[in-house]
PDB file of all heavy atoms in Angstrom:
ATOM      1  N   HIS A 277     -66.059   3.876 -19.805  1.00  0.00           N
ATOM      2  CA  HIS A 277     -66.773   2.617 -19.696  1.00  0.00           C
ATOM      3  C   HIS A 277     -67.943   2.767 -18.719  1.00  0.00           C
ATOM      4  O   HIS A 277     -67.734   3.333 -17.658  1.00  0.00           O
ATOM      5  CB  HIS A 277     -65.793   1.465 -19.273  1.00  0.00           C
ATOM      6  CG  HIS A 277     -65.278   1.471 -17.928  1.00  0.00           C
ATOM      7  ND1 HIS A 277     -65.932   0.845 -16.864  1.00  0.00           N
ATOM      8  CD2 HIS A 277     -64.193   2.036 -17.334  1.00  0.00           C
ATOM      9  CE1 HIS A 277     -65.275   1.003 -15.722  1.00  0.00           C
ATOM     10  NE2 HIS A 277     -64.201   1.801 -15.979  1.00  0.00           N
ATOM     11  N   ASP A 295     -66.024   5.016 -10.659  1.00  0.00           N
ATOM     12  CA  ASP A 295     -65.540   4.077 -11.632  1.00  0.00           C
ATOM     13  C   ASP A 295     -66.688   3.340 -12.308  1.00  0.00           C
ATOM     14  O   ASP A 295     -67.199   2.394 -11.728  1.00  0.00           O
ATOM     15  CB  ASP A 295     -64.562   3.102 -10.897  1.00  0.00           C
ATOM     16  CG  ASP A 295     -63.955   2.139 -11.835  1.00  0.00           C
ATOM     17  OD1 ASP A 295     -64.038   2.325 -13.079  1.00  0.00           O
ATOM     18  OD2 ASP A 295     -63.348   1.136 -11.372  1.00  0.00           O
ATOM     19  N   ASP A 296     -67.076   3.664 -13.480  1.00  0.00           N
ATOM     20  CA  ASP A 296     -66.732   4.853 -14.161  1.00  0.00           C
ATOM     21  C   ASP A 296     -67.967   5.624 -14.484  1.00  0.00           C
ATOM     22  O   ASP A 296     -68.155   6.127 -15.592  1.00  0.00           O
ATOM     23  CB  ASP A 296     -65.869   4.517 -15.452  1.00  0.00           C
ATOM     24  CG  ASP A 296     -65.427   5.738 -16.179  1.00  0.00           C
ATOM     25  OD1 ASP A 296     -65.305   6.824 -15.579  1.00  0.00           O
ATOM     26  OD2 ASP A 296     -65.205   5.653 -17.370  1.00  0.00           O
ATOM     27  N   GLU A 332     -65.202  -3.385 -19.726  1.00  0.00           N
ATOM     28  CA  GLU A 332     -63.966  -2.837 -19.305  1.00  0.00           C
ATOM     29  C   GLU A 332     -63.414  -3.645 -18.083  1.00  0.00           C
ATOM     30  O   GLU A 332     -62.240  -4.068 -18.035  1.00  0.00           O
ATOM     31  CB  GLU A 332     -64.019  -1.401 -18.963  1.00  0.00           C
ATOM     32  CG  GLU A 332     -62.652  -0.675 -18.878  1.00  0.00           C
ATOM     33  CD  GLU A 332     -62.055  -0.616 -17.501  1.00  0.00           C
ATOM     34  OE1 GLU A 332     -62.714  -1.108 -16.511  1.00  0.00           O
ATOM     35  OE2 GLU A 332     -60.893  -0.167 -17.368  1.00  0.00           O
ATOM     36  N   GLU A 333     -64.307  -3.870 -17.159  1.00  0.00           N
ATOM     37  CA  GLU A 333     -63.883  -4.462 -15.831  1.00  0.00           C
ATOM     38  C   GLU A 333     -63.501  -5.958 -16.046  1.00  0.00           C
ATOM     39  O   GLU A 333     -62.971  -6.588 -15.210  1.00  0.00           O
ATOM     40  CB  GLU A 333     -64.928  -4.338 -14.784  1.00  0.00           C
ATOM     41  CG  GLU A 333     -65.376  -2.904 -14.483  1.00  0.00           C
ATOM     42  CD  GLU A 333     -64.357  -2.128 -13.612  1.00  0.00           C
ATOM     43  OE1 GLU A 333     -63.249  -2.594 -13.413  1.00  0.00           O
ATOM     44  OE2 GLU A 333     -64.708  -0.970 -13.251  1.00  0.00           O
ATOM     45  N   ASP A 360     -61.784   7.917 -17.327  1.00  0.00           N
ATOM     46  CA  ASP A 360     -62.148   6.792 -16.475  1.00  0.00           C
ATOM     47  C   ASP A 360     -61.670   7.207 -15.040  1.00  0.00           C
ATOM     48  O   ASP A 360     -60.535   7.226 -14.701  1.00  0.00           O
ATOM     49  CB  ASP A 360     -61.331   5.582 -16.927  1.00  0.00           C
ATOM     50  CG  ASP A 360     -61.751   4.295 -16.171  1.00  0.00           C
ATOM     51  OD1 ASP A 360     -62.603   4.363 -15.278  1.00  0.00           O
ATOM     52  OD2 ASP A 360     -61.213   3.202 -16.426  1.00  0.00           O
ATOM     53  N   MET A 361     -62.760   7.489 -14.252  1.00  0.00           N
ATOM     54  CA  MET A 361     -62.563   7.967 -12.838  1.00  0.00           C
ATOM     55  C   MET A 361     -62.152   9.453 -12.835  1.00  0.00           C
ATOM     56  O   MET A 361     -60.953   9.721 -12.751  1.00  0.00           O
ATOM     57  CB  MET A 361     -61.677   7.077 -12.090  1.00  0.00           C
ATOM     58  CG  MET A 361     -62.163   5.650 -11.886  1.00  0.00           C
ATOM     59  SD  MET A 361     -61.000   4.479 -11.177  1.00  0.00           S
ATOM     60  CE  MET A 361     -60.854   5.108  -9.531  1.00  0.00           C
ATOM     61  N   SER A 422     -56.857   0.868 -19.129  1.00  0.00           N
ATOM     62  CA  SER A 422     -58.186   1.344 -19.475  1.00  0.00           C
ATOM     63  C   SER A 422     -58.380   1.334 -21.006  1.00  0.00           C
ATOM     64  O   SER A 422     -57.433   0.983 -21.750  1.00  0.00           O
ATOM     65  CB  SER A 422     -58.539   2.684 -18.802  1.00  0.00           C
ATOM     66  OG  SER A 422     -59.889   2.991 -19.053  1.00  0.00           O
ATOM     67  N   HIS A 446     -63.368  -0.036  -6.349  1.00  0.00           N
ATOM     68  CA  HIS A 446     -63.963  -1.398  -6.484  1.00  0.00           C
ATOM     69  C   HIS A 446     -64.596  -1.884  -5.135  1.00  0.00           C
ATOM     70  O   HIS A 446     -64.518  -3.086  -4.860  1.00  0.00           O
ATOM     71  CB  HIS A 446     -62.967  -2.393  -7.033  1.00  0.00           C
ATOM     72  CG  HIS A 446     -62.744  -2.271  -8.460  1.00  0.00           C
ATOM     73  ND1 HIS A 446     -62.250  -3.261  -9.290  1.00  0.00           N
ATOM     74  CD2 HIS A 446     -63.000  -1.284  -9.359  1.00  0.00           C
ATOM     75  CE1 HIS A 446     -62.227  -2.888 -10.543  1.00  0.00           C
ATOM     76  NE2 HIS A 446     -62.643  -1.620 -10.641  1.00  0.00           N
TER      77      HIS A 446
HETATM   78 ZN1   ZN B 501     -62.649   2.134 -14.600  1.00  0.00          ZN
END
Side-chain angles (χ1 to χ4, degrees):
H277 70 90
D295 186 10
D296 183 23
E332 196 269 356
E333 305 285 9
D360 188 357
M361 297 172 66
S422 186
H446 281 202

